Amino acid sequence: MELICPAGTPATLRAAVVAGADAVYCGFRNETNARNFPGLNFSTAELAEGVRFAHDHGKKVLVAINTFAQPGRVDLWHKAVDEAAQCGADAVIAADLAVLDHAANCHPGLRLHLSVQAAASTPEAVKFYVDAFRVRRVVLPRVLSVQEIAALNRMIDVETEAFVFGGLCVMVEGRCYLSSYATGKSPNLSGVCSPPEHVTYEDDAEGTAARLAGFTIDRYAQSQPTGYPTLCKGRFTAGGKTSYLFEDPVSLNAGGVLAGLKAAGVTALKIEGRQRGKAYVTEVVRAFRRAVDAVEAGGDAAEIDRILAGMSEGGRQTEGAYKKTWR
Amino acid sequence: MPRIALTLGPVFFHWPADRLADFYRRIADQAAVDRVHVGEVVCGKRMPFSDSIWPEVIERLERGGKEVVLSTLAAPATVRERRAVNDWCSEGRLVEINDVTAIPARSGQAFVIGPFVNVYNESTARFFAARGARTICPPVELSLDAIGSIARNCSDVDFEIFAFGRLPLALSGRCYHARLNNLHKDSCQFTCEQDPDGLAVDTIGGQEFLAVNGVQTLSNQVQAFCPTPEDLRAQGIRRLRLSPHTADMVAVAEAYRGLLDGAQSPASTRFALSCLDLPGGMVDGYLSGKPGFHSEGQST
Amino acid sequence: MADEQRDGSLPLARILFPKIGALPLGTLLTKALRDLAKRQPNLFDRLGEHKSACFFVDPTDLSFAFLVVPDGERSLVRVVGKSETSSAAVFISGPILMLLGLLDGSLDGDALFFRRIVSIGGRTEAVLALRNAIDDAELRPADLLGLHGALGRLADNAILGSLRAARRLACRGLDQGERS
């Protein structure tokens, strides 16, 4: 199985390659990619240089152009595809039909991966993207169990890629507007979820309140670890109960199901976190390199939970939907 | 001047079969809507409860002069759910596609693209138009200017705006009614039935914010977009969608018909809506490019 | 003058910034940042609109704080008292060893933040832009001191080595604190 690792900056790309990535994914510094955070991402020149560095080390670069093109500005997304191709990218990761269609028509030699933002989880949906755009790999939504992935892989004739570590979307990706409801910006519209310019942390007598656009998303006692106020990871009150209604503030660690994913026919394993620093990426990639090598050699990956526990938000981890009890 | 049509969207909530049948009987006889969507969109597990009523509901609606659209699941997953999508796609009637799963089965025949499918630009709209899309109701987070820009570049399709009802904001593999009641999704006991407009979700600061409906998350507030008919025509919009709630939907339809016919002003329409028993405050921020929970209309 | 007074009382700052005797700390860091901007102008591009923001950087274990405007060759660093926050748009505070670990990229800012070792306030997006710019810059202590060649390498090794040792001790203290 290939290990696909995130890079928000050229320095992180190099760090990921050195730490053992088989491929690095990254995006341009604009709204064409779903990690459009301040100070992050690549200029065209930086991408070209990054591709050279990766290829010199025998590794690949995948370019995420995975937001939805805005009306009247589709050219910006087309241009991103053209530049990725010119830079020598090994594949483009896309979700929008406008982007997929342009890539398939204008760059027939360029490999296309279907972004998780397209949330293709049925054989019919996968078949649609393969037939219409010759998609070569589908990044699987994070709502499928290992058994469901195995069943899907038996019915489709295309590579699949599964997330194994990092932030966990609890909603169907690419179809969640919670962020724009509160802030006006969302993954699909602007490439950001719960954008930082709407985030405030305020200390009061009860501790620290994390707010997004004025909505209190969570509250922490002074001694407690905090989290980023991502809407779906907040505490809310419903039916008289206050709880982490949508998802606890945990991050995904599928280290324990790597062997299961391999048996399910998954081609590539993806680490989330283009917004994270190179210290984080280096540590996670190194650990997963060891785990994947162990799995490929027939061993098990039980150790990995302990190795990675310190790096996640709030320190807690889950195997998410890969175990069906998550629902 | 072309008349702007009204569509009644599918019921998002788990209403008992009797309630659904009564609701559609009244819509058939009294509601000033041109088109009515039927079918379960949110949760495949609910389908066995309503499956048996649809033939009679459809017949009754058509007798009442309404065009019927069969709405398909927004996130089909199981074999049974996928088969249900395929079955409705092979019907003669107009079908609403809410997931690309339905495209291979329906391509080449007429369909409606629902708000759960990502149509964000004119290229995507034209792609679907070439395969049979007649109406497109774009995702709720798009502004009126954005939708207008797409509509003007894809004139062979009717563009429809989600004008009334709690906004469908997200879908999940996880059921929040089950999670809240410490139940597993596979044995959920259908507790979502207790909340016929969805269950309010407040922040820990006490602000009204969202609502849950099984695997679906909606806004707590009710979209109440009240444009002038001229605003809509200028943007090439031909339809408004009203999303069913327990509030008097015949009255909602009447208020919107008055608005679109120029008989009522936006302000008086908003006032008429605010007098109904709505599950939350009224908002329309998305249409003006603002956060969805903003309410432009009320400030003017 | 305030600078010198505070500097004089701080042996740690003397170790970290050996030129301190010759120049007040704020002036020294301003010059270092501007020199850095001359050598690596791209480094400041990532900050975008946030390069004109005023960052209040508060090392919690030192008796003073910094006001930093990271605006390329117009950068400004002032050593200020803990309460001189009125002109700042962004607030970052934490133990000096941890803040320096963020600077050289050896520590993960998110992990430090979530564990409340480093805290932030004000314009979150500007903090994020700064974090990302620094993370890509691969700064060495010598870059900030304006040292080059063999002398620079010597300074890096000495400072990074003692930082690592000090941080190991500090982290052990934190972990023990968490367990208790």
Side-chain angles (χ1 to χ4, degrees):
Chain A
M1 291 185 287
E2 275 178 49
L3 189 58
I4 316 294
C5 305
T9 62
T12 310
L13 181 147
R14 295 190 293 271
V17 166
V18 170
D22 294 309
V24 177
Y25 66 102
C26 54
F28 288 115
R29 205 182 301 168
N30 58 31
E31 60 265 60
T32 63
N33 91 88
R35 288 289 184 279
N36 182 23
F37 288 107
L40 216 57
N41 298 316
F42 288 63
S43 68
T44 312
E46 286 169 343
L47 179 65
E49 179 54 39
V51 170
R52 263 197 301 278
F53 181 87
H55 287 180
D56 285 349
H57 289 75
K59 310 298 178 191
K60 293 174 185 158
V61 174
L62 319 177
V63 179
I65 305 170
N66 56 348
T67 51
F68 292 82
Q70 292 162 10
R73 298 183 63 211
V74 178
D75 281 354
L76 179 68
W77 276 257
H78 289 176
K79 188 167 153 264
V81 173
D82 299 343
E83 288 182 352
Q86 279 156 20
C87 289
D90 297 281
V92 159
I93 308 168
D96 186 13
L97 301 191
V99 178
L100 292 164
D101 201 36
H102 174 80
N105 286 330
C106 299
H107 304 278
L110 182 62
R111 241 180 105 90
L112 274 180
H113 292 185
L114 187 67
S115 166
V116 70
Q117 296 302 115
S121 56
T122 65
E124 291 84 0
V126 171
K127 185 175 158 24
F128 163 71
Y129 287 105
V130 171
D131 290 351
F133 311 113
R134 299 184 308 280
V135 161
R136 305 276 291 278
R137 180 183 295 175
V138 174
V139 185
L140 296 171
R142 282 168 271 198
V143 296
L144 295 173
S145 68
V146 173
Q147 295 93 314
E148 286 165 343
I149 292 172
L152 179 65
N153 270 333
R154 283 193 294 274
M155 289 183 279
I156 60 176
D157 191 21
V158 63
E159 296 173 5
T160 52
E161 181 172 307
F163 277 94
V164 289
F165 194 86
L168 176 77
C169 265
V170 56
M171 304 302 181
V172 177
E173 289 99 336
R175 293 159 89 177
C176 176
Y177 318 124
L178 292 180
S179 180
S180 62
Y181 187 64
T183 72
K185 286 189 169 182
S186 73
N188 287 2
L189 284 175
S190 357
V192 286
C193 177
S194 308
E197 67 269 29
H198 289 274
V199 171
T200 54
Y201 292 92
E202 263 172 63
D203 290 325
D204 57 26
E206 293 168 74
T208 305
R211 295 206 177 91
L212 186 74
F215 292 103
T216 308
I217 303 304
D218 209 344
R219 195 180 274 288
Y220 309 91
Q222 284 304 351
S223 56
Q224 243 184 330
T226 60
Y228 189 86
T230 306
L231 273 173
C232 57
K233 312 279 170 53
R235 256 187 308 160
F236 298 99
T237 304
K241 275 194 248 182
T242 296
S243 65
Y244 290 104
L245 175 63
F246 301 107
E247 176 62 289
D248 298 311
V250 292
S251 67
L252 173 71
N253 183 356
V257 300
L258 293 184
L261 290 171
K262 182 177 164 64
V266 168
T267 305
L269 304 172
K270 185 168 218 161
I271 293 167
E272 187 273 349
R274 282 191 283 143
Q275 73 283 18
R276 305 296 294 266
K278 61 181 181 290
Y280 169 91
V281 169
T282 300
E283 184 170 340
V284 176
V285 172
R286 245 186 231 146
F288 266 89
R289 182 75 268 162
R290 285 205 303 275
V292 171
D293 290 346
V295 168
E296 297 287 3
D300 77 89
E303 277 288 287
I304 203 147
D305 284 351
R306 195 181 49 75
I307 299 169
L308 297 173
M311 295 304 294
S312 61
E313 298 181 26
R316 290 180 51 213
Q317 305 189 327
T318 174
E319 286 179 329
Y322 292 129
K323 293 274 164 73
K324 268 190 98 179
T325 48
W326 177 80
R327 290 171 190 162
Chain B
M1 273 190 313
R3 177 176 176 279
I4 293 163
L6 279 177
T7 300
L8 186 73
V11 173
F12 288 147
F13 308 100
H14 186 33
W15 291 358
D18 288 350
R19 177 176 210 149
L20 275 176
D22 287 347
F23 173 75
Y24 283 114
R25 237 172 262 138
R26 184 150 179 267
I27 293 296
D29 295 345
Q30 299 175 40
V33 295
D34 307 277
R35 184 185 269 184
V36 178
H37 287 243
V38 300
E40 175 62 42
V41 167
V42 172
C43 177
K45 288 189 67 186
R46 298 170 179 169
M47 295 174 93
F49 293 93
S50 57
D51 273 347
S52 60
I53 69 161
W54 297 125
E56 195 200 317
V57 163
I58 292 166
E59 192 264 337
R60 181 71 179 258
L61 286 166
E62 288 178 340
R63 200 147 33 94
K66 320 295 187 206
E67 183 184 21
V68 172
V69 178
L70 311 180
S71 284
T72 55
L73 282 170
T78 65
V79 173
R80 194 170 48 80
E81 288 163 0
R82 287 162 41 220
R83 196 182 304 132
V85 170
N86 272 314
D87 286 352
W88 280 44
C89 285
S90 51
E91 262 268 343
R93 289 186 178 78
L94 196 55
V95 163
E96 177 182 53
I97 288 177
N98 286 310
D99 184 271
V100 294
T101 295
I103 298 280
R106 192 67 186 183
S107 192
Q109 290 167 274
F111 56 83
V112 174
I113 290 283
F116 301 95
V117 176
N118 283 331
V119 178
Y120 277 87
N121 49 61
E122 57 278 15
S123 304
T124 302
R126 286 196 292 259
F127 182 94
F128 283 128
R131 280 153 186 80
R134 261 176 40 190
T135 302
I136 295 178
C137 181
V140 294
E141 65 174 354
L142 278 173
S143 69
L144 180 59
D145 283 344
I147 298 171
S149 170
I150 302 170
R152 288 192 302 275
N153 286 291
C154 189
S155 56
D156 42 350
V157 171
D158 283 0
F159 278 80
E160 179 171 293
I161 288 180
F162 190 100
F164 176 85
R166 279 183 161 168
L167 291 154
L169 297 179
L171 292 162
S172 176
R174 180 178 252 179
C175 173
Y176 301 115
H177 267 91
R179 182 169 154 89
L180 199 61
N181 291 290
N182 296 316
L183 295 165
H184 191 261
K185 187 185 171 201
D186 294 341
S187 50
C188 69
Q189 300 178 20
F190 299 98
T191 56
C192 56
E193 194 181 57
Q194 292 155 17
D195 299 297
D197 286 304
L199 174 65
V201 175
D202 297 342
T203 68
I204 49 175
Q207 301 148 288
E208 294 180 343
F209 188 24
L210 303 170
V212 288
N213 167 40
V215 298
Q216 184 183 41
T217 304
L218 303 114
S219 59
N220 181 295
Q221 289 76 10
V222 175
Q223 173 96 319
F225 174 54
C226 298
T228 65
E230 292 74 32
D231 288 342
L232 296 177
R233 283 190 199 99
Q235 298 281 11
I237 308 300
R238 299 186 196 138
R239 293 179 169 273
L240 291 187
R241 177 177 293 213
L242 314 176
S243 187
H245 280 282
T246 56
D248 186 346
M249 292 306 294
V250 170
V252 171
E254 195 177 290
Y256 271 96
R257 194 66 261 162
L259 174 74
L260 296 177
D261 291 342
Q264 296 293 334
S265 70
S268 62
T269 307
R270 271 193 294 273
F271 177 74
L273 293 174
S274 72
C275 295
L276 299 171
D277 188 17
L278 304 183
M282 303 199 302
V283 297
D284 57 5
Y286 273 138
L287 276 314
S288 51
K290 304 252 168 46
F293 82 94
H294 279 215
S295 46
E296 290 298 295
Q298 272 137 339
S299 62
T300 55
Chain C
M1 37 137 242
D3 284 358
E4 280 160 71
Q5 239 173 18
R6 290 192 187 94
D7 297 343
S9 63
L10 281 150
L12 181 61
R14 279 197 186 284
I15 298 165
L16 299 176
F17 306 104
K19 274 190 183 172
I20 240 158
L23 275 175
L25 185 52
T27 313
L28 174 81
L29 290 174
T30 297
K31 183 175 179 310
L33 214 51
R34 290 180 180 186
D35 288 349
L36 183 64
K38 265 184 214 125
R39 295 197 306 276
Q40 287 179 255
N42 293 346
L43 198 157
F44 293 83
D45 285 355
R46 286 191 177 271
L47 285 168
E49 61 188 289
H50 305 296
K51 65 184 180 183
S52 54
C54 184
F55 293 73
F56 184 80
V57 182
D58 178 11
T60 47
D61 44 359
L62 301 187
S63 64
F64 58 86
F66 301 97
L67 276 177
V68 183
V69 181
D71 193 1
E73 292 190 42
R74 283 176 299 177
S75 291
L76 209 62
V77 182
R78 277 180 58 216
V79 175
V80 296
K82 298 280 193 191
S83 59
E84 288 179 53
T85 58
S86 60
S87 58
V90 186
F91 305 87
I92 305 170
S93 65
I96 183 71
L97 291 176
M98 299 299 157
L99 295 177
L100 287 167
L102 295 180
L103 217 54
D104 72 24
S106 58
L107 292 180
D108 177 49
D110 292 2
L112 291 185
F113 172 69
F114 293 131
R115 291 172 68 199
R116 292 192 177 240
I117 296 164
V118 165
S119 66
I120 59 170
R123 275 163 50 189
T124 314
E125 71 274 29
V127 182
L128 209 61
L130 179 68
R131 195 281 304 256
N132 292 331
I134 288 174
D135 201 56
D136 189 47
E138 311 197 292
L139 290 177
R140 313 288 295 179
D143 293 322
L144 280 177
L145 297 171
L147 301 175
H148 308 284
L151 193 58
R153 279 194 297 279
L154 204 66
D156 283 345
N157 291 339
I159 293 171
L160 287 175
S162 54
L163 272 180
R164 267 193 294 274
R167 208 179 289 128
R168 267 197 299 277
L169 283 171
C171 287
R172 206 175 299 155
L174 280 167
D175 285 345
Q176 277 162 358
E178 269 180 13
R179 270 198 295 276
S180 59

